[in-house]
Amino acid sequence: MANEGANHNIIKLKSISSITTARHTASDSEFEMGWREKAERAKSLHRPSLKNWARDGLASTFPAYESYILSNEEAYCSFKIKNGVVLDTRLNVDDARQEGVPVILDGDTPPEVFHKEYEAKCIPVVIRNIPYGVNNRSNGEVSSCSSKEGNFQEEKKDCDEMHYNLQSNVDPSRTHNNEWPAIHNWSLSSLYNNPLLRSRTFKVGEDDDGYSIKMKLRHFLRYLESNQDDSPLYVFDASFDEDRYAKRLLLDYTVPNYFDEDLFRLVGERRRPPYRWFLVGPQRSGTTVHIDPLGTSAWNTLIHGVKRWVLFPPHVSKSVVKGYREILKGEDDEAIHYFTTILPRVKRRAASVAEAALAGARRLGEYENFECYEFTQYAGETVFIPHGWWHAVLNVTHTVGVTQNYCSRRNFDAVWTRTRSGRKKMACTWLRRLNDHYPDLAARARELNRRDGFVMWEDDHEEQRRWMRKRAEKARRKREKEASRQGREGDGDGSENKRQSKKEKWGEHRTNGQRKDEDDCNSVTSGANIVSPT
């Protein structure tokens, strides 16, 4: 029976692939006109200095790395230097349950256990099965799936329609009927065929001035299935909830009760920093090594696909983590380069320094107590990243997921000390709201201020004057830039009329574009005639 099921899936995948290929031409002309041009424009804005996004040929060499990761033999790896000795541990998924970082928990672990034993101690965790409903119990019981294991796995494969879930570690005996709608609604084909989403725009990068670069979802998904880029564009969108159609994605998942204490909510959605992102990552895309902002912790749930993570504890220095010494002239430092080239060099250098230190030839220096943890995240798993931990992520396959940053009682001190200086005005509002709703935390914030001699923005008149001068200087530079642009266009050639015409045309274009998007959403009621990306 198992072999029959496997053969059935192979036949089905071939069928989907052939339909996709057969309908590409019609789809290009009817729905996808210009998606390549849209992608090229987005790439030129995101990284204007990179003329050839496939210069390293990683699309052809990556399958070997993918095969190694999906083999599951070294799903969890740790590399440490303790007392000058290198400890290199490699564990498969089953062994990692017994030891290792991150700690692996089931979705029915009580939240109070997570808060006390892991979150408060800043220990990274992988929590399994949350999207499948085990974390949303009403009666304290975990219901059993009525289907047999083979049928359950078959259903998961059907839901994804591709190979992305084949490495999932979901235990079919621990599923629950409160599963997230995202399990079904966020497969690539479901997203592509969703008439309310396919024409909405999502952020795929930023230009040199920090402005968002966006693409329509249908164009991006066609790019996802066809690109040969070393490090592709990546939907990493925090403003989807501002779009009246895209915000319906919020209905497809629930914040796990491990992370439902969200203290930033007190300042309101308009004032708070970006904190939740909808993610669609092509194979080979990812995020470079970083620490989450404002002392926040984060959770990341993978709905479809496979990701590779690397974690460094807060005490490991930035220069070591970033691998500044390991990047050769002309080399790229995107996530794929970090995982396949830079990170191995970092570990080799750490081992070399440790060997020299043992021989008395040098001191460990910044490599003392070096720690590095790599692991693979599978569909259905939620990763908890404590505040202050360095991390990078690589999409081993095409992936879809969601992530949120948050502040709770366990990381309040770190968040407050960074927010009061990084978001000065918002911190004043937050302190007043804390005083109304969480007086103990408000008292703690004031205690931290006294300890550090910190003066809040609303009480620091000199800081307010500096802020006003900075704001005036920014406005002045903007006026000068505009005047310079006008001067280049010339005053005698009707440039003002041209600019006004451009404004009117752009306004009309935006209106017509939005109306066209809405017409697309209203006219397309079924995905039956729309090609599904592979």
Side-chain angles (χ1 to χ4, degrees):
M1 291 298 295
N3 290 333
E4 291 178 6
N7 292 333
H8 171 76
N9 279 308
I10 292 172
I11 294 172
K12 182 173 183 180
L13 292 180
K14 288 182 179 179
S15 176
I16 292 172
S17 177
S18 62
I19 292 173
T20 300
T21 303
R23 291 188 175 178
H24 269 185
T25 303
S27 179
D28 280 340
S29 60
E30 185 175 357
F31 296 107
E32 313 307 324
M33 187 66 69
W35 71 266
R36 294 183 187 275
E37 289 76 7
K38 300 293 185 182
E40 290 301 320
R41 179 178 181 275
K43 292 194 295 184
S44 67
L45 290 173
H46 181 54
R47 300 188 69 188
S49 62
L50 184 61
K51 303 306 179 184
N52 180 10
W53 279 50
R55 67 177 190 178
D56 296 327
L58 295 181
S60 61
T61 60
F62 188 75
Y65 179 83
E66 176 191 8
S67 178
Y68 162 70
I69 295 299
L70 297 183
S71 69
N72 199 26
E73 294 177 357
E74 299 179 0
Y76 289 77
C77 306
S78 65
F79 186 95
K80 307 176 187 178
I81 296 178
K82 295 295 183 184
N83 299 321
V85 178
V86 175
L87 304 176
D88 190 357
T89 305
R90 302 166 188 268
L91 303 172
N92 61 31
V93 171
D94 293 333
D95 293 337
R97 270 190 173 278
Q98 308 301 322
E99 56 178 316
V101 173
V103 174
I104 301 176
L105 301 177
D106 288 319
D108 54 356
T109 301
E112 55 271 19
V113 172
F114 167 77
H115 294 153
K116 180 180 179 180
E117 299 298 328
Y118 303 106
E119 185 185 10
K121 297 177 181 178
C122 292
I123 299 175
V125 171
V126 171
I127 309 174
R128 291 180 173 172
N129 301 319
I130 287 177
Y132 297 93
V134 299
N135 189 240
N136 300 312
R137 306 180 307 279
S138 58
N139 57 3
E141 297 292 335
V142 179
S143 65
S144 297
C145 181
S146 59
S147 60
K148 295 181 179 180
E149 179 173 350
N151 291 335
F152 178 82
Q153 296 296 334
E154 183 81 15
E155 180 181 350
K156 289 205 300 96
K157 293 171 185 175
D158 289 347
C159 169
D160 200 16
E161 293 189 322
M162 286 304 292
H163 69 281
Y164 313 125
N165 262 3
L166 297 180
Q167 296 294 326
S168 174
N169 287 310
V170 173
D171 183 349
S173 68
R174 308 184 78 83
T175 58
H176 192 265
N177 56 7
N178 289 326
E179 70 177 12
W180 291 2
I183 295 298
H184 304 281
N185 297 343
W186 290 9
S187 69
L188 296 180
S189 58
S190 295
L191 291 172
Y192 189 85
N193 289 319
N194 188 320
L196 299 179
L197 287 177
R198 61 192 318 271
S199 293
R200 314 323 293 173
T201 60
F202 292 85
K203 180 180 177 180
V204 297
E206 290 184 350
D207 63 18
D208 289 343
D209 294 322
Y211 291 102
S212 295
I213 300 166
K214 294 191 173 187
M215 287 178 64
K216 289 182 179 179
L217 185 59
R218 69 179 193 236
H219 291 156
F220 178 81
L221 291 176
R222 290 300 303 275
Y223 162 79
L224 172 145
E225 69 169 353
S226 304
N227 85 88
Q228 296 293 305
D229 296 337
D230 295 328
S231 177
L233 296 168
Y234 186 2
V235 166
F236 212 102
D237 192 289
S239 60
F240 67 91
D241 55 350
E242 298 174 4
D243 182 284
R244 61 173 175 166
Y245 292 114
K247 70 180 180 182
R248 300 185 186 191
L249 291 168
L250 295 173
L251 302 177
D252 288 339
Y253 74 95
T254 304
V255 176
N257 57 16
Y258 301 103
F259 318 109
D260 57 6
E261 187 177 37
D262 178 17
L263 297 175
F264 268 152
R265 75 181 188 280
L266 296 176
V267 301
E269 291 294 319
R270 185 175 63 84
R271 289 189 179 91
R272 69 180 300 170
Y275 71 104
R276 59 187 174 199
W277 291 264
F278 173 63
L279 315 175
V280 183
Q283 185 180 60
R284 302 184 305 280
S285 64
T287 54
T288 55
V289 64
H290 64 284
I291 294 176
D292 286 336
L294 299 179
T296 55
S297 299
W299 59 270
N300 182 304
T301 297
L302 186 59
I303 303 301
H304 297 296
V306 178
K307 292 177 182 282
R308 187 69 171 174
W309 290 71
V310 61
L311 307 178
F312 299 86
H315 69 259
V316 182
S317 70
K318 179 179 180 180
S319 61
V320 170
V321 169
K322 291 284 189 177
Y324 292 139
R325 299 185 187 92
E326 322 308 331
I327 304 173
L328 304 180
K329 185 177 181 179
E331 285 188 332
D332 214 335
D333 62 350
E334 292 294 297
I336 185 171
H337 301 88
Y338 188 84
F339 276 87
T340 59
T341 303
I342 300 170
L343 180 59
R345 291 175 184 168
V346 169
K347 293 194 289 186
R348 284 198 297 269
R349 182 180 290 272
S352 175
V353 170
E355 182 180 352
L358 277 178
R362 62 164 297 172
R363 300 181 62 181
L364 280 171
E366 59 186 355
Y367 290 95
E368 187 172 4
N369 295 324
F370 174 87
E371 296 179 51
C372 165
Y373 303 93
E374 295 177 76
F375 67 98
T376 303
Q377 180 189 18
Y378 302 97
E381 294 184 337
T382 298
V383 176
F384 162 68
I385 305 298
H387 64 90
W389 278 68
W390 296 94
H391 55 284
V393 188
L394 177 66
N395 292 309
V396 180
T397 68
H398 303 324
T399 64
V400 184
V402 62
T403 183
Q404 292 194 186
N405 286 39
Y406 71 98
C407 171
S408 70
R409 290 178 175 272
R410 271 70 61 187
N411 64 338
F412 178 77
D413 285 12
V415 175
W416 175 254
T417 54
R418 289 162 178 78
T419 302
R420 68 188 182 186
S421 56
R423 294 272 183 153
K424 297 178 183 292
K425 296 179 68 177
M426 189 197 80
C428 297
T429 301
W430 192 27
L431 184 56
R432 288 193 293 270
R433 303 284 172 80
L434 286 169
N435 198 59
D436 293 337
H437 298 278
Y438 299 93
D440 59 323
L441 292 179
R444 176 59 179 165
R446 295 188 179 94
E447 179 184 343
L448 292 171
N449 288 351
R450 287 191 297 270
R451 182 197 70 182
D452 302 332
F454 185 86
V455 180
M456 296 294 290
W457 186 86
E458 60 188 6
D459 299 322
D460 190 341
H461 301 299
E462 179 57 33
E463 176 63 26
Q464 292 180 36
R465 284 191 289 270
R466 285 195 296 267
W467 182 81
M468 292 297 292
R469 288 195 296 267
K470 184 177 179 181
R471 184 179 181 184
E473 177 64 17
K474 183 177 180 180
R476 182 188 65 79
R477 288 198 300 268
K478 184 177 181 180
R479 290 194 301 270
E480 289 180 352
K481 186 176 181 180
E482 178 67 16
S484 176
R485 186 180 67 81
Q486 293 179 8
R488 288 194 301 269
E489 291 179 354
D491 296 328
D493 58 354
S495 59
E496 183 61 35
N497 291 334
K498 288 182 180 179
R499 284 193 296 274
Q500 185 62 32
S501 175
K502 284 184 178 180
K503 285 184 179 181
E504 293 173 355
K505 183 178 181 180
W506 173 240
E508 182 181 357
H509 171 71
R510 291 185 63 187
T511 303
N512 290 342
Q514 182 176 358
R515 187 178 299 117
K516 182 179 183 301
D517 289 346
E518 293 173 0
D519 290 343
D520 288 344
C521 292
N522 292 331
S523 62
V524 181
T525 57
S526 172
N529 296 322
I530 301 176
V531 59
S532 301
T534 58

